[in-house]
Amino acid sequence: MAYLGNGAKTKEVLAKYNMSAKKKFGQNFLINEIVLDGIVDAAGVTRDDCVLEIGPGIGTLTQYLAESAGRVIAVEIDKTLIPVLEDTLSEYDNVTVINEDVLKVDIEAIVNEYNGGRPIKVVANLPYYITTPIIMKLFESGVPIESVTVMVQKEVADRMVMGPGSKDYGSLSLAVAYYAEAQSVMDVSPSCFIPQPGVGSAVVYLKKHECAPVQVKDEKYMFEIIRTAFNQRRKTLSNSLSNNPSLRVTRDQVQDALVKMGIDEKARGEVLALSQFAELSDILQSSGA
Ligand code: SAM
């Protein structure tokens, strides 16, 4: 039985190892059983699954995952937590801890070694300082992943699930929409962690698409358009895109493309859906780029 997941036990483990949470690694340990069960349920973890956990910390969520999954591979950057994890996970023979930076580790090699190349589920209470790079690495690397269930800052969760027109809509919303179907699972208050983060949190479930929802000739070019549009979100698309030399387009070419698509030539990026960015990308590439 998982015994972590409450404040008293978490404090006891930290005291036993004379440790405190490290801010530089984004350490906020979960202490709420309902939230922990909710994460495992949302991820739909079964004995058939191999789960990649990012940042096991002192092993709290890892214990819950180990109870439900066939295998858990936990990647932790902080080497001082490795002896703690050996202790808190000693009852489980289906957990492997890897002391590495998740942004550097070869996830494909992990999937091959521990799951015979079959898709894994990623489940994590993410370190908030690198949420976006982690999500982008998971998706852009193209490794076989079935779903990603993660605790993130509430504000980031909103950006992941929002559509055009909302103030939270931006390049992260579009990247997530391109790779996955996103669903917000639950809001989590700061009191569910030790130490308490300064912001609210939320769990999101990202079910990876089997094939991309839009067809685009050059994915990289489309994402460069998206990044440019939202880096200067107060500017019109024709101004922002023509200011980025790597896109190789003029103001007129952008305006013509928008008009051809039936969109106001003074439109900003925030009104375009993913399918429209794909169309704009294809038109601009053939008109000038
Ligand atoms: N899973 C634990 C829990 O829910 O209580 C801890 C979550 S804590 C928010 C984030 C964890 O990610 C910490 O253990 C931290 O050391 C680890 N971490 C931070 N940066 C990392 C990185 N680049 N690679 C792997 N782990 C990292």
Side-chain angles (χ1 to χ4, degrees), residues 221 224 228 232 239-250 289:
Y221 188 78
E224 185 61 22
T228 309
Q232 303 176 309
N239 277 339
S240 60
L241 303 189
S242 59
N243 272 341
N244 178 351
S246 72
L247 291 172
R248 302 176 302 276
V249 283
T250 64

Side-chain angles (χ1 to χ4, degrees), residues 143-159:
V143 293
I145 288 173
E146 189 180 323
S147 61
V148 176
T149 309
V150 278
M151 175 89 71
V152 296
Q153 244 174 275
K154 168 80 174 119
E155 182 216 317
V156 176
D158 289 345
R159 285 201 267 134

Side-chain angles (χ1 to χ4, degrees), residues 25-30 53 55-57 76-77 101-102 125 129-130:
F25 288 138
Q27 291 176 357
N28 297 95
F29 303 118
L30 262 170
E53 187 194 2
E76 173 57 61
I77 195 171
D101 178 344
V102 72
N125 170 18
Y129 73 108
I130 43 168

